[in-house]
Amino acid sequence: MSVLVLGSSGLVGRELVHTLAAAGHHVVACDVAAPVGAAKAAESITYARADITRLDQMVDLMQRHEVSALACLSYVMGPLMTPDFSDFLLASQINVMGVTNVLEAARLTGVRRLLLASTVGTYGPQELYGDRPVTEDDLLAPRSMYGRMKSLNEAVADRYAQVHGMEVVKVRPSSILGPGSTIWPSRLIERLAVGETGLAPYGPQARDNIIAVQDLTALLTELLTRPTLRHDTYLACGHNVSMAELVAVLGELLPDGVIEYPANRDRSPSYAQVFDNSRAVSEFDWKLKSVHDSVRLHIDGVRREAGLEPITW
């Protein structure tokens, strides 16, 4: 089957392209930016450039490559999450109209399955749900602009599925570990990996959920290629950890590292902090790397890209 990965130059896109190719699928890796890895691509990978804000380019891409399934990963994410970001026109063109263009092009060209990358940021704060883990069926009540745009994407995707009979599967990952992260792991783990001071995003007792990019793309591959799926929404979450627990793991792996907590040590995520991933685990026998191994892989990936030796463990 021919699988299109939109946003193939990002952290998840790069890993997903190679995971799909290793599983024997032909992959069309597409981004608006220059292709990453095209010079040494496997025969089963075709690199392309196209802009999701252009419906004509999306239709042409899907028709030309006879796409049967696609993963929509393209998004303005990191900048949108910074307090001083102000280019909402660009963000809306990509995140709202661009994603809708992808849905429309998939409808027009008869794509069998569309995977929409969403986020746990579509949930509200943990106190809305009590002490229990949050599930796929819980209320969405995003506080961030990023979470609100993703929630809108999900609503539009649901209508496409309902009105046009399309198969759309929504995936809500948590904080992704891997080199090139655009969210808080880059400020904490990536800075530590190259000898800089790591900046913890939240206070020691705040909890978040982390998942290795390798585990995430293993799940995405199943969701793209399995003949049938039981659900249309999956939490792609890994390990629920406190910042103190994560800092302790980093201390074991990088004992000379220096980590600073935020001045407000009560700071915590604006979204829920504890999630239940049992739907994906039970349906796909999805096995996750440990917290220790997930963090180590992130560190070694960053060091490899910086021309440094992996850590000794």
Side-chain angles (χ1 to χ4, degrees):
M1 65 187 298
S2 181
V3 183
L4 171 62
V5 177
L6 294 169
S8 61
S9 295
L11 165 62
V12 178
R14 295 193 306 270
E15 188 72 25
L16 179 58
V17 165
H18 293 291
T19 303
L20 284 164
H25 303 288
H26 177 256
V27 187
V28 180
C30 179
D31 209 302
V32 71
V36 174
K40 51 183 178 180
E43 289 185 4
S44 58
I45 303 173
T46 299
Y47 284 87
R49 295 183 72 171
D51 185 345
I52 69 170
T53 67
R54 293 281 304 273
L55 177 59
D56 59 333
Q57 291 186 15
M58 289 295 100
V59 171
D60 176 69
L61 181 72
M62 294 178 201
Q63 285 180 331
R64 185 157 29 95
H65 295 284
E66 299 181 342
V67 172
S68 54
L70 75 85
C72 183
L73 309 177
S74 301
Y75 224 70
V76 174
M77 179 188 177
L80 189 62
M81 299 174 75
T82 59
D84 57 350
F85 179 78
S86 60
D87 196 350
F88 296 112
L89 177 60
L90 173 65
S92 298
Q93 288 171 334
I94 296 172
N95 295 356
V96 179
M97 285 309 304
V99 172
T100 305
N101 281 339
V102 174
L103 286 159
E104 179 67 6
R107 179 188 74 82
L108 291 171
T109 59
V111 171
R112 181 179 63 82
R113 181 178 297 162
L114 187 151
L115 184 152
L116 178 68
S118 187
T119 173
V120 296
T122 54
Y123 294 102
Q126 187 67 45
E127 54 261 31
L128 285 179
Y129 312 101
D131 295 331
R132 63 173 177 79
V134 172
T135 73
E136 289 87 348
D137 298 324
D138 276 310
L139 173 74
L140 301 185
R143 296 290 179 89
S144 68
M145 183 64 74
Y146 172 63
R148 288 167 178 162
M149 284 187 171
K150 285 290 192 181
S151 181
L152 175 60
N153 297 150
E154 288 201 24
V156 173
D158 285 342
R159 289 304 297 271
Y160 262 84
Q162 176 187 355
V163 174
H164 300 297
M166 295 172 60
E167 184 180 14
V168 181
V169 57
K170 299 160 292 183
V171 185
R172 298 173 186 152
S174 53
S175 294
I176 304 166
L177 302 192
S181 171
T182 58
I183 54 174
W184 65 257
S186 65
R187 300 192 298 275
L188 175 57
I189 300 174
E190 299 200 5
R191 288 172 62 95
L192 272 180
V194 295
E196 299 176 4
T197 298
L199 305 177
Y202 311 118
Q205 302 312 309
R207 305 193 72 82
D208 200 2
N209 188 287
I210 58 173
I211 180 168
V213 68
Q214 296 87 349
D215 289 336
L216 173 58
T217 55
L219 176 61
L220 298 185
T221 297
E222 293 284 356
L223 293 171
L224 283 163
T225 62
R226 280 275 180 118
T228 59
L229 302 175
R230 297 177 193 167
H231 305 278
D232 65 4
T233 309
Y234 293 86
L235 274 168
C237 300
H239 301 283
N240 294 305
V241 295
S242 70
M243 283 298 110
E245 291 167 345
L246 184 57
V247 166
V249 171
L250 287 165
E252 293 175 9
L253 294 168
L254 296 167
D256 296 328
V258 177
I259 297 173
E260 294 180 356
Y261 283 106
N264 176 11
R265 291 172 72 89
D266 292 328
R267 188 171 186 269
S268 61
S270 62
Y271 49 84
Q273 300 173 41
V274 183
F275 301 94
D276 177 0
N277 65 3
S278 59
R279 176 178 289 184
V281 169
S282 61
E283 184 171 344
F284 305 107
D285 192 25
W286 187 36
K287 293 180 172 58
L288 298 165
K289 296 173 180 59
S290 67
V291 173
H292 180 282
D293 288 347
S294 300
V295 173
R296 181 180 56 79
L297 281 169
H298 190 154
I299 291 170
D300 283 346
V302 172
R303 291 180 64 84
R304 182 171 56 252
E305 291 184 358
L308 301 173
E309 292 294 321
I311 58 175
T312 301
W313 181 257

